[in-house]
Amino acid sequence: MEIREKGSEFLKEELHKAQKELKLKDEECERLSKVREQLEQELEELTASLFEEAHKMVREANMKQAASEKQLKEARGKIDMLQAEVTALKTLVITSTPASPNRELHPQLLSPTKAGPRKGHLRHKSTSSAPCPAVCPAAGHALAPDKEGREVDATLFAEFQAWRESPSLDKTCPFLERVYREDVGPCLDFTMQELSALVRAAVEDNTLTIEPVASQTLPSVKVAAVECGRTNGFRAPIDTTCALSGLACACRHRIRLGDSKSHYYISPSSRARITAVCNFFTYIRYIQQGLVRQDAEPMFWEITRLRKEMSLAKLGFFPQEA
């Protein structure tokens, strides 16, 4: 009996020990299960975060690529424009040599016998013995009438010479104030006053861009749907509404002001008026930068020719497009 009781006690101790070990293993299993669930949740969150970050990086890369392509396109356009300006400047420098001007590019320098017949009425040659020279008060020297029948206006020439001493784009100086009042202002005075003011400011800041447009990109003529010549989504005919004059006509060019993405379709007449003013500003900027090396009188006649172009463009005369 004693042996049996000892054996029973031993078995109870072993059973208690086994139960205790089993309880510890259950607790360990539960703890490991929680760790596994926590790791699985963290893995899912990490996977989702990685996918989101990858999509974000792809979107940013696409946006950067689009921006780079746009900048490349704009840079190429600016390069083409600068190359054209350099070519024009080289031509200008060539023609600016008083001893040997390029008469092919400056018809106003041709003699009457080579210039050919002129349209309009002709005046008979004066029978007076000698032409009366025009004396410029500011310069203090006489300016003889041009062989082609031109004569330097003493007041205008004096204002130009005063400006040429210290060239600037200040509109308050007498020379530019007169040009603004008589030529620039009227030439850029379009029907649409608000857009006209923006165009004038862009021209003065040298931030206006004129682009040719293909016929496929022009909006369809639906007067009720067209606002100031902006694109309305329709495609087909080449006729549209000029954003500056408000007239329905063939608009093969559009303008962009500064860095704005908005485009405005313009008629050939409006384009001629804008380009005439731009040509004037380009020339006086060249003078301001010291790139034009001529005497005062040839400079004055070139400016007069550019003012004449502005006047003709304002009156509706413009070269026919090909």
Side-chain angles (χ1 to χ4, degrees):
M1 291 293 293
E2 185 179 355
I3 295 173
R4 184 179 298 177
E5 288 177 0
K6 288 184 179 180
S8 175
E9 289 178 2
F10 176 76
L11 291 175
K12 287 179 180 181
E13 290 177 0
E14 290 294 326
L15 178 61
H16 181 70
K17 188 186 296 185
Q19 288 177 347
K20 188 176 181 180
E21 291 179 355
L22 182 60
K23 184 178 180 181
L24 291 175
K25 289 183 179 180
D26 289 341
E27 292 177 354
E28 182 68 16
C29 289
E30 185 177 357
R31 187 182 66 81
L32 293 175
S33 178
K34 289 181 179 180
V35 170
R36 186 186 65 179
E37 291 177 358
Q38 184 178 359
L39 291 175
E40 289 178 351
Q41 184 178 359
E42 292 179 355
L43 180 61
E44 290 178 359
E45 293 177 355
L46 180 60
T47 304
S49 176
L50 289 175
F51 272 110
E52 184 178 356
E53 188 68 22
H55 286 301
K56 183 178 178 181
M57 292 175 63
V58 170
R59 284 196 302 269
E60 291 178 353
N62 291 336
M63 292 175 62
K64 289 181 179 179
Q65 182 180 0
S68 300
E69 291 177 354
K70 180 181 177 182
Q71 291 177 356
L72 177 61
K73 184 177 179 181
E74 292 178 353
R76 287 176 176 173
K78 290 181 180 179
I79 289 173
D80 293 339
M81 182 179 66
L82 291 174
Q83 287 178 344
E85 288 189 0
V86 169
T87 303
L89 181 58
K90 288 181 179 178
T91 304
L92 187 62
V93 172
I94 293 173
T95 59
S96 66
T97 305
S100 179
N102 191 330
R103 300 178 183 272
E104 295 295 329
L105 297 176
H106 285 264
Q108 69 270 20
L109 298 179
L110 292 174
S111 62
T113 56
K114 295 182 180 180
R118 295 188 177 186
K119 295 183 180 180
H121 70 278
L122 298 175
R123 293 189 179 184
H124 295 288
K125 294 182 178 179
S126 174
T127 56
S128 59
S129 59
C132 178
V135 179
C136 177
H141 65 276
L143 296 173
D146 188 82
K147 294 181 180 180
E148 297 186 24
R150 304 177 305 184
E151 184 173 330
V152 175
D153 184 283
T155 302
L156 299 181
F157 190 75
E159 292 176 353
F160 168 70
Q161 279 204 315
W163 173 83
R164 182 170 172 261
E165 292 298 324
S166 180
S168 68
L169 299 180
D170 183 10
K171 295 184 286 187
T172 60
C173 70
F175 167 67
L176 286 183
E177 191 275 332
R178 179 189 294 273
V179 176
Y180 266 89
R181 184 180 71 252
E182 297 179 357
D183 303 304
V184 175
C187 198
L188 296 181
D189 184 18
F190 296 97
T191 305
M192 304 300 179
Q193 293 293 320
E194 183 176 354
L195 183 58
S196 298
L198 295 176
V199 169
R200 176 170 169 172
V203 170
E204 293 174 353
D205 297 337
N206 200 22
T207 57
L208 183 140
T209 304
I210 301 179
E211 304 172 347
V213 294
S215 59
Q216 290 80 4
T217 63
L218 289 170
S220 174
V221 178
K222 295 203 176 193
V223 178
V226 176
E227 297 181 2
C228 297
R230 287 178 180 266
T231 309
N232 59 9
F234 294 99
R235 298 171 180 264
I238 198 171
D239 291 336
T240 185
T241 300
C242 176
L244 292 168
S245 66
L247 300 177
C249 56
C251 297
R252 296 183 176 87
H253 292 82
R254 63 185 183 182
I255 59 174
R256 182 163 53 86
L257 308 179
D259 296 329
S260 174
K261 295 182 180 179
S262 300
H263 293 85
Y264 303 89
Y265 290 93
I266 57 173
S267 64
S269 176
S270 298
R271 173 177 174 261
R273 291 166 66 171
I274 295 174
T275 53
V277 177
C278 289
N279 290 339
F280 169 77
F281 275 102
T282 299
Y283 188 70
I284 64 173
R285 286 192 185 98
Y286 285 161
I287 296 177
Q288 182 189 20
Q289 296 167 8
L291 300 176
V292 182
R293 299 183 180 181
Q294 286 181 311
D295 294 333
E297 190 172 347
M299 282 188 189
F300 176 78
W301 280 120
E302 179 63 18
I303 288 177
T304 303
R305 184 186 68 81
L306 295 172
R307 294 184 63 184
K308 177 183 176 182
E309 287 186 358
M310 288 189 281
S311 299
L312 291 175
K314 168 61 181 172
L315 294 173
F317 295 96
F318 58 89
Q320 293 292 333
E321 298 178 4

